[in-house]
Amino acid sequence: MNSKELQEYSDAWNEHDIDKIMKFMTEDCVFEPGGGPERFGTSYEGHDAVRARFIEVWTDIPNVRFENAIHFSQDNYGCSEWTIVGTTKDGTKIEVDGCDVFTFENKKIKSKRSYLKNRK
């Protein structure tokens, strides 16, 4: 994938279009979010599990957006930096910088690891 395709992927997130997002993912994709008990966060494996977790993001933060995105890619690796903004279901406003580190396979996202700044 290239930077333009990563921007299209990011745009799909801001459109809350799960079908478009999942077209960028391999069938055996892995998502490791920015939290959880495992080394790289809770791991979601496979198209269905990743899809369900992505939908939970919109459930938890209904107006979520990823702003100020910058994308890099080289060979089978890529990175997107962004600021996640939105309001959680309980009314808490969030604005946190983070990034996704990607591994690509056959021009699709095989793995996505998310990292967030801790604002405590």
Side-chain angles (χ1 to χ4, degrees):
M1 289 184 69
N2 60 38
S3 297
K4 181 179 180 267
E5 292 165 319
L6 286 174
Q7 182 59 54
E8 292 170 4
Y9 174 77
S10 180
D11 291 343
W13 268 97
N14 287 337
E15 294 163 9
H16 296 200
D17 188 334
I18 192 64
D19 292 328
K20 190 184 286 186
I21 289 168
M22 296 311 294
K23 287 180 183 176
F24 288 95
M25 311 295 291
T26 64
E27 284 297 319
D28 60 345
C29 58
V30 175
F31 172 51
E32 297 169 343
E38 299 168 15
R39 181 171 167 232
F40 287 108
T42 302
S43 184
Y44 298 88
E45 298 182 20
H47 216 252
D48 291 341
V50 170
R51 179 185 178 93
R53 178 60 188 121
F54 286 174
I55 289 170
E56 285 178 6
V57 173
W58 299 313
T59 302
D60 296 340
I61 313 166
N63 65 340
V64 70
R65 292 197 46 82
F66 294 87
E67 299 180 346
N68 308 314
I70 301 171
H71 311 286
F72 308 89
S73 67
Q74 183 173 348
D75 301 323
N76 288 328
Y77 301 96
C79 180
S80 293
E81 294 183 60
W82 35 258
T83 303
I84 185 173
V85 296
T87 307
T88 63
K89 290 186 298 186
D90 70 4
T92 303
K93 293 192 182 289
I94 60 169
E95 180 183 31
V96 178
D97 290 335
C99 70
D100 291 320
V101 177
F102 301 102
T103 302
F104 306 129
E105 182 179 88
N106 298 320
K107 298 188 178 191
K108 289 192 172 195
I109 298 168
K110 168 84 172 179
S111 69
K112 171 182 170 155
R113 291 182 176 161
S114 295
Y115 298 89
L116 303 169
K117 292 281 189 173
N118 187 349
R119 292 187 68 177
K120 289 186 179 184

